[in-house]
Every structure is written in structure tokens, then in C-alpha cells.
Amino acid sequence: MNEIIFKTEGLAKTFNRRKIFKDISFELKENSSLAITGKNGSGKSTLLKILSGILSPTRGSIEMNIGGKIIRHDSYFKKLGLVSPYLQLYDEFTGQENLELFRDIRGIEATDNYIEDLLKLFKLWERRDDFVRTYSSGMKQRLKYAFALLHNPSILLLDEPRSNLDAEGIETVYKIMEEQKKRGILIVATNDSEDIEHCEQLIDLNKQETSGK
Amino acid sequence: MRESLAATLTIFKKDLRSEMRTRYALNALLMFVITTLSIILFSIGNENVSPELLSGVLWIIIFFSTMSGLSRTFVSEEERGTVMTLHLIAKPLSIYFGKLLFNLLLLGGLNIFTVLLYLLFVSGFTVLNYSIFVTTIILGTLGLASGSTIIAAIIAKANTKGTLYPVLSFPILLPLLLTVINATKLSVSGAQFSESFGEFQILISYLVVLTAISFLLFEYIWKE
Ligand SMILES: Nc1ncnc2c1ncn2[C@@H]1O[C@H](COP(=O)(O)OP(=O)(O)OP(=O)(O)O)[C@@H](O)[C@H]1O
Ligand SMILES: [Mg+2]
């Protein structure tokens, strides 16, 4: 079993002198999950971007440790998957081409079969040869899930996991969240009470304290 | 290391494929070259313009068409919001060199096209020493591609994208431009290859320094 530790210490972010949040500290191990809540504009999405290594924090540090090895910051992308409203896949490629492209750039072994499985899981198989440009917003959201799971990430970060999804899609997402908890770490930014129920720990950015539920 | 190299090549291929589908930069580049060249031909008319002056004009076309097309490499990812996706699949190093390679190919193709048209239609422009001329074009292309890639990365993060590009490029690319124009002048005035060594030395050092700085700078720019 691979040991996974993902922890932060005193994370703070300031945008042009506007303090978004400060002093975010937590430590997660494999099989654990964390919900991040807070009002609109409280910094949930920003925190997720920082955790995935896209933004730098103004202060504080992040440590990712997998199987006893500290992962370098520029390699975080290998170990984590992110679904976020800010993510855009390539419009001029088809759904399948997008996934193949990401596999090739990542240099991972995901087989065509695995890509097929993902596309089928997210009900995109029929539309795999259509340009992403022509996808509906829910279909784009589904494709983002396939993108985030392609490399079997140890840490899965979801920002507003349900956005644009229908009932069936939401059910698939909950199934994935449960599987992720068995395999690694799950972090969800949401204000939806049903989403929160799937997570064991909670950080409220308006209160700024970690609590077990 | 090998992993990063593979990622670099795949990003390059992705840009190429994307460009073939969208013609995001290519059309702008080609139209720019063709319109500028026609205007120059009209304004020259039957005048006798010295080949030295025409050397400068050639690089004006190349400089501005580079500026009009290559800025799009990073700006297009930023505008479409796919920057985040890139962050999540590759190291900055791979992204930078993938983009650089793509710009190099685009600019190389464009320059061959421009130079051929120029040699064909601008009758006053006759190259006497082709080895100097070709070396200059190659080194100039390398320098411009390297310079414009890093400038494009800076600009993609700025708020006033369109106008900033030529303004920011000018000081950075000025030494390069002055040197390539000098070397081109040498090639039309019938100088020996050895006489242009000085120019080539400057161009090569410029290239090495620029690429090294760009690479160091890029990691910093890339992650806000
Ligand atoms: N690039 C940026 N530059 C300046 N300010 C920013 C930037 N990105 C986010 N902000 C600010 O940071 C704050 C937090 O934004 P963020 O998107 O993280 O909030 P959120 O909690 O995800 O909100 P929501 O519930 O609406 O999704 C907001 O006040 C926003 O205006
Ligand atoms: Mg948000």
C-alpha cells in the first residue's frame, strides 16, 4: 500500500493586497477526504489552484509525500487530478483526441481501453469523435472528469463537482468520490450539503478552522 | 529528462495540429507578409533603391510579421483558458521548449516564404554572397523565435495584450535586428564570408544568452 501524505502549513493568499485567506493548515493521509466550504469569493477555488500547484501561495508551504518520497512541486501534476470550472480542454480537438493528447504529454501508460472505459463511464463514448467545441456544458464537465482520472491520481481535487451535471452524472461523481477515498485523498470545494456529506473533514474558509465532522 | 523531452515534442505536435485546424497564427502571418510586400513594391515603383536599404526593409517585414503572428502562441492558450490544463499535464520546461519549437517551425517556414518572394519581386535586391545571406536568415530566425516566445509568455499574463507586444519586443530584439541588418548588408555588398564573422559571433552569443535567460524567466512567469 502506498502511503500518501498531503499537508499544508499556514497557507495564505493575497491578491493585490486583498487578503483572501490566511493560515490554512491541514494534514491528510490516504483514505481521507476534506471538504472546503465558504461564501462566494471566500477563496475556495483559489485554494484548490494553490494545492494543485497552479498558483503560488503568498505565504505557507505544501508538502506531498508519496510512498516515503517527497514530491517536487513541479511534479505535482503527475500525482493529482483537478476538476474545476476554470479548466478548459481543447475545443479544436475531439473528446477522444483530448484524452489521447493528455496521455501522450504526460507520458503515461493509459491504454486505449482505459480511455474507452473512461469515455463510456461518462457517457461520452457516442460523441467521442465530435469536437469539444460542440459539446454541451455538462458534456464538457464529464470530459474534465475523464481528464482528471486519466492518470489515476493519488489526490483528486474537485471544485464544484456537480456543476452542469444531470442526476445520472452526479451519481457517477459520487461513485468516483467514494472510490477515490479508497485509493487516496479527496478534496472537494463546495457549498452543497450532499457533497459535504461525502467528506470526513471540513474547512470553512469563513471560519478558518479544520474540524472533524 | 527523456520524459520531459517526449512531453516537449508532444506539445509541439499538439500546437502544430491545432494550428492546422484553426489557422490561428498562420493566416495572420501570411496576410501580413503579402500586404506589406505589395505596399513596398508599390511605393518603390521604378525608383532605384540601394540593396543596402532594401536589406533593412526585408527585416522590417520579418520583424513585424513575427510580432503579428507569434504573440499568439501563449496568448491563445491564455485567452481560451487552456493554460490551466497545460499546468496540469506538463512541466514548465516542456511547455516552454514545445512552444519554442513550434514558433521556430512557423517562423522558419514564414521566413523562407518571405525571402523567396522578396528575392523574386524586389528587383533591386540582389544577394552577392549567399553563404552570408543564408546564415544570417537562419541565425535571425532562431533569435526572433527565441525572443518572441518569451515575450509572448510575458504578454499573455499582461492585461493589455495586443499593443504591448511590439513595444516590449523592440528593446529586446533591437540588438538582434541591428546585427542581422548589418549582416544582410554585407551579403548584398559582396563581402567575403570571413568579414561577417563579427556579426555571426554577436548573433550566436545573443541566441545563447536569450535562450538561457528565457528559460530561467519562464518558470517564474508561468506560475503566478
Ligand atoms: N486572478 C485574480 N486576481 C485578483 N483577484 C482574484 C483573482 N482570482 C480570484 N480573485 C479574488 O479572490 C477571491 C476568491 O476567489 P475564489 O474564486 O477563490 O472564490 P470562491 O470561494 O471559489 O468563490 P465561488 O463560491 O464563487 O466559487 C475573490 O474575491 C476574487 O475576486
Ligand atoms: Mg469557486
Side-chain angles (χ1 to χ4, degrees):
Chain A
M1 185 68 209
N2 250 355
E3 216 185 340
I4 307 168
I5 300 169
F6 192 46
K7 67 177 176 193
T8 67
E9 196 139 334
L11 281 186
K13 184 67 182 177
T14 309
F15 278 121
N16 317 316
R17 281 197 230 112
R18 180 203 298 267
K19 282 205 181 81
I20 309 298
F21 51 73
K22 64 175 201 315
D23 226 8
I24 304 288
S25 305
F26 61 77
E27 178 166 351
L28 295 170
K29 287 208 158 66
E30 69 274 5
N31 309 327
S32 63
S33 51
L34 170 69
I36 297 166
T37 63
K39 298 189 185 119
N40 292 147
S42 60
K44 302 182 294 295
S45 302
T46 306
L47 180 56
L48 247 53
K49 285 184 201 166
I50 292 173
L51 294 179
S52 41
I54 295 169
L55 282 181
S56 328
T58 312
R59 248 172 296 113
S61 64
I62 310 175
E63 189 188 310
M64 191 193 287
N65 190 322
I66 294 180
K69 261 196 303 213
I70 302 238
I71 308 293
R72 285 169 45 115
H73 279 250
D74 65 358
S75 297
Y76 275 17
F77 72 92
K78 291 180 191 165
K79 305 291 180 195
L80 55 82
L82 171 68
V83 174
S84 154
Y86 299 99
L87 194 66
Q88 295 289 331
L89 304 182
Y90 288 98
D91 267 351
E92 69 275 28
F93 295 130
T94 69
Q96 185 165 8
E97 281 172 347
N98 262 286
L99 295 182
E100 286 167 357
L101 176 74
F102 300 139
R103 172 192 60 191
D104 295 344
I105 294 180
R106 281 181 180 281
I108 50 171
E109 295 287 306
T111 58
D112 288 346
N113 278 336
Y114 184 54
I115 289 181
E116 183 177 334
D117 290 347
L118 281 173
L119 285 169
K120 282 184 173 154
L121 177 63
F122 291 104
K123 303 278 182 295
L124 290 168
W125 181 246
E126 309 284 298
R127 301 287 301 271
R128 66 184 182 280
D129 290 328
D130 288 351
F131 290 118
V132 170
R133 183 174 355 108
T134 68
Y135 280 16
S136 73
S137 52
M139 291 166 69
K140 283 184 187 166
Q141 177 77 355
R142 286 157 183 267
L143 189 61
K144 288 181 199 174
Y145 275 95
F147 161 75
L149 294 171
L150 187 64
H151 51 297
N152 289 311
S154 305
I155 299 165
L156 184 63
L157 305 159
L158 306 177
D159 193 357
E160 302 174 21
R162 297 156 56 119
S163 35
N164 299 318
L165 292 179
D166 54 21
E168 199 190 3
I170 293 174
E171 208 163 291
T172 312
V173 167
Y174 286 150
K175 222 170 62 199
I176 285 163
M177 282 164 53
E178 289 308 316
E179 276 166 23
Q180 182 64 32
K181 281 192 274 180
K182 286 182 203 140
R183 190 176 55 180
I185 292 173
L186 172 71
I187 300 178
V188 184
T190 182
N191 279 316
D192 184 282
S193 52
E194 208 183 335
D195 293 352
I196 296 172
E197 274 168 30
H198 283 82
C199 303
E200 285 119 36
Q201 295 181 52
L202 182 78
I203 291 182
D204 186 337
L205 289 181
N206 295 111
K207 300 207 190 83
Q208 294 225 338
E209 54 195 31
T210 321
S211 59
K213 282 197 315 169
Chain B
M1 191 62 224
R2 178 180 305 151
E3 195 180 301
S4 303
L5 190 69
T8 301
L9 290 176
T10 324
I11 288 170
F12 164 71
K13 274 192 274 181
K14 170 225 134 215
D15 275 357
L16 196 63
R17 216 158 116 207
S18 166
E19 179 62 37
M20 287 194 298
R21 285 197 185 160
T22 59
R23 302 287 159 90
Y24 200 78
L26 196 64
N27 285 346
L29 284 168
L30 288 182
M31 284 317 296
F32 191 95
V33 171
I34 292 171
T35 31
T36 344
L37 195 61
S38 331
I39 294 170
I40 287 164
L41 285 175
F42 285 135
S43 45
I44 292 178
N46 292 325
E47 304 273 338
N48 252 335
V49 185
S50 74
E52 279 79 11
L53 189 62
L54 289 172
S55 308
V57 174
L58 171 66
W59 284 100
I60 292 177
I61 304 180
I62 293 179
F63 173 74
F64 281 103
S65 54
T66 307
M67 295 305 107
S68 71
L70 297 195
S71 65
R72 295 171 178 240
T73 38
F74 281 104
V75 175
S76 80
E77 303 259 10
E78 190 74 37
E79 279 176 352
R80 296 188 302 162
T82 47
V83 169
M84 201 162 154
T85 312
L86 278 180
H87 270 287
L88 290 169
I89 53 178
K91 288 186 185 173
L93 171 93
S94 313
I95 293 162
Y96 176 74
F97 282 106
K99 295 280 176 191
L100 177 61
L101 223 55
F102 174 71
N103 272 354
L104 203 56
L105 178 82
L106 199 62
L107 190 60
L110 183 86
N111 283 354
I112 292 174
F113 175 74
T114 312
V115 167
L116 286 180
L117 283 187
Y118 204 76
L119 286 169
L120 212 62
F121 289 106
V122 183
S123 50
F125 187 71
T126 34
V127 175
L128 297 176
N129 188 329
Y130 269 96
S131 49
I132 299 182
F133 185 67
V134 171
T135 315
T136 308
I137 296 288
I138 291 173
L139 290 176
T141 304
L142 288 170
L144 276 177
S146 183
S148 54
T149 307
I150 191 65
I151 298 164
I154 299 172
I155 300 237
K157 299 283 175 200
N159 293 324
T160 45
K161 298 182 175 60
T163 41
L164 207 58
Y165 200 59
V167 177
L168 190 62
S169 327
F170 190 66
I172 297 181
L173 295 176
L174 190 64
L176 174 86
L177 285 171
L178 291 178
T179 320
V180 288
I181 290 173
N182 272 339
T184 312
K185 279 184 187 161
L186 287 174
S187 78
V188 294
S189 66
Q192 294 299 308
F193 191 73
S194 53
E195 288 173 57
S196 52
F197 274 179
E199 266 72 21
F200 293 155
Q201 262 167 6
I202 299 177
L203 286 177
I204 291 170
S205 348
Y206 178 86
L207 199 65
V208 172
V209 172
L210 190 66
T211 310
I213 293 180
S214 305
F215 171 59
L216 294 174
L217 195 62
F218 184 74
E219 280 201 71
Y220 183 75
I221 305 169
W222 185 236
K223 197 166 160 178
E224 281 167 82

